[in-house]
Amino acid sequence: MTASATGIGSLPGGDAREAAKTATGSFEEFPYLPELPARGPGADMIGRSLGLLVDLYARVEPSGWRISDRPGRDTRRSRSWLGEDLDALEEFTQGHEGKLKIQAVGPWTLAAALELHGGEAMLRDAGACRDLAASLAEGLRGHLADVRKRIPGAEIVLQFDEPSLTAVLSGRVRTASGYRTYRAVDRQVVEGTLRELFAVHDGEVIVHSCAPQVPFDMLRRAGAAGVSFDFSLLTEREDDALGEAVESGVKLFAGVVPGTDAPLSDPGGSVMGVRKLWRRLGLAPGALAESVVVTPACGLAGASPAYARAVQAHCVRAARSLADNPE
């Protein structure tokens, strides 16, 4: 059975070529497009995805990203950095055939982060949320076409980063004043919007969240092929949802290695919890390696460069251990 491992997205530093070399060299079977938020606004997770939008623009304010009437310096910078990152990835994936992961922030985390003209989050305006999702869908179609053209042998896996999804569903996103929270968005609306966004890509779509209480059931129903999460935040309350997801073919991208500098156990020890979960769920050991992809718990932007390199190599070895010894 082939072991599978990949990264989440962000890396430390600001050198696009070095990042691409690391991401493709560490994960030869399943590389990804790195993000380098240390470069500043526009290279961050939110700003990078705002740069993908079509006919919607944003600029940086002291409070964060705010909707803008026209493309400005921040939009141009975001698009320029993405182009630089794609150039570097293309250089280091010549002849690559197989999986390749690219990331974009999902519609609900974007809606929670992007401010309307008055300073409140777009999340408060249902119509604005619909416009945002439609703009993101259109931008992603172009982005996916660009990646396919650059790396024609790639089987693109599209990852939506949705760290705010649980807060959106439970009404825990704070207003601009910080004293109140926005009303929870109806679960059917959230699920329907995600389903429409997932349909943008005819390949594998996964959702990443390193927040607690990931809504595995909803993501499965919306059509996610995989869910990426911080394994240390799982509780037994999620067992049923996890079991149903795996049995319906959803892959678990298990974040088993800390995203910031910490002592690393032996590779087998890092995936011991995954084996225990599998036994607890009563799932067949033989399906473990094909159902689980080993990753860091979250992005590595806050790690030291040396730790980031070590963690990625560690994930590959841990995945191999899982495949060799599933029980």
Side-chain angles (χ1 to χ4, degrees):
M1 185 62 65
T2 305
S4 193
T6 191
I8 296 298
S10 67
L11 287 174
D15 186 327
R17 288 188 77 256
E18 183 60 34
K21 184 179 178 183
T22 298
T24 56
S26 300
F27 302 112
E28 294 178 7
E29 301 297 320
F30 199 165
Y32 64 97
L33 175 65
E35 301 164 0
L36 300 172
R39 291 181 296 198
D44 60 299
M45 183 177 82
I46 299 294
R48 185 185 188 89
S49 293
L50 291 174
L52 292 172
L53 299 179
V54 173
D55 296 331
L56 262 181
Y57 312 104
R59 65 180 188 274
V60 178
E61 296 284 336
S63 56
W65 286 93
R66 184 170 294 183
I67 205 83
S68 178
D69 295 326
R70 61 185 64 85
R73 180 183 60 187
D74 298 320
T75 298
R76 289 192 295 272
R77 189 165 47 194
S78 171
R79 291 174 178 174
S80 172
W81 273 328
L82 177 58
E84 189 180 306
D85 293 340
L86 286 168
D87 288 346
L89 184 70
E90 185 178 359
E91 178 184 345
F92 287 100
T93 51
Q94 293 295 309
H96 174 72
E97 295 187 352
K99 290 185 183 295
L100 169 71
K101 185 164 69 65
I102 62 173
Q103 304 83 222
V105 176
W108 296 108
T109 295
L110 270 188
L114 182 58
E115 297 174 356
L116 297 164
H117 289 294
E120 291 295 344
M122 194 169 265
L123 190 63
R124 71 175 292 180
D125 184 328
C129 288
R130 285 193 294 274
D131 291 344
L132 179 64
S135 175
L136 178 61
E138 193 60 32
L140 281 169
R141 287 187 187 97
H143 183 40
L144 287 160
D146 186 22
V147 177
R148 286 190 198 101
K149 186 177 173 183
R150 289 168 177 268
I151 311 161
E155 297 169 26
I156 300 172
V157 176
L158 175 59
Q159 172 181 307
F160 283 104
D161 291 314
E162 280 283 17
S164 299
L165 182 58
T166 303
V168 167
L169 289 166
S170 55
R172 294 205 304 263
V173 177
R174 295 208 164 272
T175 59
S177 69
Y179 295 121
R180 295 184 299 109
T181 56
Y182 296 108
R183 183 180 300 168
V185 181
D186 182 87
R187 296 182 78 87
Q188 288 185 322
V189 172
V190 172
E191 185 179 322
T193 301
L194 290 173
R195 186 178 295 110
E196 288 172 12
L197 259 295
F198 296 173
V200 164
H201 182 39
D202 57 7
E204 212 171 309
V205 174
I206 70 170
V207 177
H208 168 70
S209 173
C210 43
Q213 299 172 318
V214 175
F216 291 98
D217 277 342
M218 170 185 287
L219 297 174
R220 172 180 58 80
R221 289 195 306 270
V227 182
S228 169
F229 57 97
D230 180 343
F231 192 85
S232 70
L233 298 178
L234 276 187
T235 67
E236 291 193 17
R237 286 195 301 274
E238 278 122 339
D239 278 6
D240 288 346
L242 274 169
E244 280 185 46
V246 173
E247 286 175 345
S248 66
V250 175
K251 288 184 180 174
L252 304 183
F253 285 66
V256 296
V257 190
T260 52
D261 293 39
L264 294 175
S265 72
D266 67 285
S270 292
V271 289
M272 190 183 302
V274 179
R275 293 189 184 97
K276 287 180 179 175
L277 170 69
W278 221 248
R279 286 197 293 272
R280 201 165 72 229
L281 296 178
L283 297 167
L288 184 50
E290 64 189 34
S291 300
V292 174
V293 180
V294 177
T295 73
C298 213
L300 298 169
S304 67
Y307 180 78
R309 287 191 296 272
V311 159
Q312 297 190 105
H314 186 88
C315 285
V316 173
R317 290 194 295 270
R320 199 169 296 135
S321 164
L322 203 58
D324 292 344
N325 304 293
E327 295 189 69

